[in-house]
Amino acid sequence: MLRIGLIGLVFASALTLSAAAEIVVKIAPPAAVVETRGVAPGPGYVWIGGYQRWDGNAYVWAPGRWELPPRPHARWVAHRWVRRNGGWVFVEGRWR
């Protein structure tokens, strides 16, 4: 029982840290860079588009890349910036 309680406490702490780590950027992100994809390195690879990331002082372009999906029929949901809390908040891309 104590073990379950400790696991729950660790999980709750992780949620608190991730919620507190949300950074609101007051400057809107610039337009996306038009990238050249090139040829996929092999069958089944999916293009993960680049995005503007905030480095603490300015936006910096993070280039796209080819990646193999983690499982069959997985779909990539792109990184994006959303308006929230009087500024812009980055939402990480993920496999769905």
Side-chain angles (χ1 to χ4, degrees):
M1 189 58 100
L2 178 61
R3 186 178 197 179
I4 293 171
L6 287 174
I7 292 170
L9 181 61
V10 168
F11 182 70
S13 298
L15 288 176
T16 303
L17 287 176
S18 66
E22 183 173 274
I23 297 170
V24 178
V25 180
K26 298 295 183 183
I27 304 165
V33 173
V34 177
E35 297 180 293
T36 303
R37 291 182 183 193
V39 178
Y45 278 79
V46 173
W47 177 253
I48 307 297
Y51 60 95
Q52 298 286 359
R53 79 176 168 77
W54 182 254
D55 74 357
N57 296 309
Y59 286 98
V60 178
W61 183 252
R65 65 191 185 281
W66 289 102
E67 196 171 294
L68 276 173
R71 61 193 171 283
H73 309 294
R75 186 176 66 87
W76 177 252
V77 179
H79 307 285
R80 66 190 186 284
W81 286 92
V82 294
R83 283 187 73 67
R84 186 163 54 219
N85 299 327
W88 294 87
V89 175
F90 184 70
V91 178
E92 290 278 343
R94 62 187 172 87
W95 289 102
R96 192 170 216 186

